[in-house]
Amino acid sequence: MCTVSWLLANDGYQVFFNRDEQKGRALAYSPKYFNDLGVKYLMPVDPVGGGSWIAMNQAGLSICLLNYYQQKPPEKILISRGLLVKSLISNTSLTKIRAALKKLPLQRYAAFTLLVFPSHLTTQIGDVYAVRWDGFELTTVTAVSPMISSSIALAEVTNYREDHHNAILLQHQVLFSGDGCNDELEISPTPAPVDIDSVEENIIELTNQRCIDDKNSLALTRFHASHEPAPSYLSVCMHRDDAHTVSFTHLIATRKQLKMNYVCGCPCSSKQHQSYALYPQRETCVEVV
């Protein structure tokens, strides 16, 4: 019950993540700083399992995890999937991530899809790496933005959100022009008015803090705040009787900055906007995937 999208630019990448959970589940703790074996990283923490669904380290590598509900979990004591993110995020390259995955006892985890955004990822260098554990086998899957998980009507939800994602990007007419992560963009003193619904204003504020003229970022932020076609299981800002979107995370990874913007609570109503930064310490070797 989550949606992740991303954009690549000449100087880095951005990730946008809506986390959906059951209404009875405790809210996650806001992002915290960790240091594992000398590698600093940021991640929000699930108080239930102690892990996370998204994290970024000081090398500029990021990890996202989606539950794969279509595979029934095995009837035995399992390790929380969120601990996968915590155990992998101290690795500073995709090569190290792959090696670490081979050593994990995956049979003790329920099914998942894991996305890795390598530290030097741009429009020219590398690719988003995605693997899926179905309870029996770990396989590479094609990473195409957006990627979606849902415990109900997965095909219907995926088709609707993909179409809506593409429509929003076409509306902005800037389909990944390459300047989406540009830190040098200046905030216009009198930015052009943007026609957005009031329910989107809270989450849009995070983008405004960077640059309202960053149209790619604005487009995807609007997508993650959307209630189209109505607040329901289909909408990206998801609302069901038993579950809803509980947080929005926006990662920015460029040569000059590593930043995590976080909205705690349902993004259409929460006022809890927080921003965190890491000092980039990238490895000199550029890893081409």
Side-chain angles (χ1 to χ4, degrees):
M1 299 183 292
C2 299
T3 302
V4 57
S5 66
W6 59 89
L7 64 87
L8 308 183
N10 293 329
D11 64 341
Y13 66 87
Q14 295 187 46
V15 180
F16 306 76
F17 196 112
N18 277 22
R19 185 191 186 211
D20 306 335
E21 279 294 346
Q22 296 291 321
K23 289 185 175 179
R25 191 181 182 100
L27 282 176
Y29 299 125
S30 296
K32 299 181 183 298
Y33 292 93
F34 297 86
N35 189 321
D36 185 9
L37 301 175
V39 177
K40 296 178 182 179
Y41 61 91
L42 261 171
M43 71 176 196
V45 179
D46 176 19
V48 178
S52 188
W53 60 98
I54 190 168
M56 168 191 280
N57 68 30
Q58 66 187 48
L61 182 145
S62 301
I63 297 175
C64 298
L65 184 137
L66 300 168
N67 292 342
Y68 185 58
Y69 297 100
Q70 284 55 51
Q71 180 64 48
K72 184 179 178 181
E75 295 180 357
K76 58 182 178 182
I77 298 176
L78 298 173
I79 302 173
S80 171
R81 286 170 286 201
L83 292 175
L84 277 167
V85 174
K86 187 175 183 180
S87 67
L88 292 172
I89 192 58
S90 59
N91 293 284
T92 54
S93 71
L94 184 53
T95 298
K96 294 176 182 178
I97 292 281
R98 286 170 164 162
L101 278 170
K102 291 179 180 179
K103 297 178 182 179
L104 289 174
L106 295 179
Q107 294 79 7
R108 297 185 60 192
Y109 295 90
F112 63 83
T113 301
L114 188 79
L115 300 177
V116 180
F117 298 82
S119 59
H120 293 86
L121 181 65
T122 68
T123 50
Q124 294 85 23
I125 301 172
D127 294 292
V128 180
Y129 177 69
V131 291
R132 177 168 296 149
W133 169 250
D134 63 4
F136 303 96
E137 184 180 12
L138 186 71
T139 57
T140 303
V141 295
T142 302
V144 179
S145 179
M147 295 189 73
I148 294 140
S149 71
S150 179
S151 58
I152 63 170
L154 177 61
E156 181 185 7
V157 171
T158 298
N159 289 337
Y160 186 85
R161 293 183 189 177
E162 285 179 349
D163 289 346
H164 185 42
H165 170 272
N166 296 337
I168 284 182
L169 290 174
L170 287 171
Q171 177 184 344
H172 282 73
Q173 297 179 351
V174 288
L175 287 168
F176 307 111
S177 60
D179 60 2
C181 297
N182 193 340
D183 297 320
E184 303 304 322
L185 288 172
E186 298 180 355
I187 301 177
S188 301
T190 55
V194 181
D195 182 22
I196 55 176
D197 296 332
S198 59
V199 294
E200 297 176 348
E201 291 176 356
N202 291 323
I203 198 169
I204 290 295
E205 183 178 324
L206 284 176
T207 301
N208 291 351
Q209 291 172 3
R210 285 195 64 238
C211 177
I212 194 67
D213 293 332
D214 185 344
K215 295 180 181 179
N216 283 334
S217 182
L218 177 61
L220 288 184
T221 305
R222 290 189 63 184
F223 170 67
H224 281 264
S226 174
H227 280 164
E228 293 292 334
S232 66
Y233 70 99
L234 288 175
S235 57
V236 182
C237 184
M238 191 272 287
H239 295 268
R240 295 188 341 219
D241 291 339
D242 62 330
H244 59 166
T245 299
V246 296
S247 68
F248 166 74
T249 309
H250 176 205
L251 306 181
I252 305 167
T254 73
R255 291 185 297 269
K256 296 183 179 180
Q257 72 165 335
L258 299 172
K259 189 174 181 181
M260 178 180 287
N261 293 319
Y262 186 75
V263 175
C264 179
C266 192
C268 62
S269 58
S270 176
K271 298 292 185 181
Q272 299 183 53
H273 299 171
Q274 300 164 312
S275 186
Y276 306 81
L278 283 167
Y279 182 77
Q281 293 186 2
R282 299 180 184 274
E283 297 181 348
T284 56
C285 177
V286 176
E287 183 175 30
V288 180
V289 181

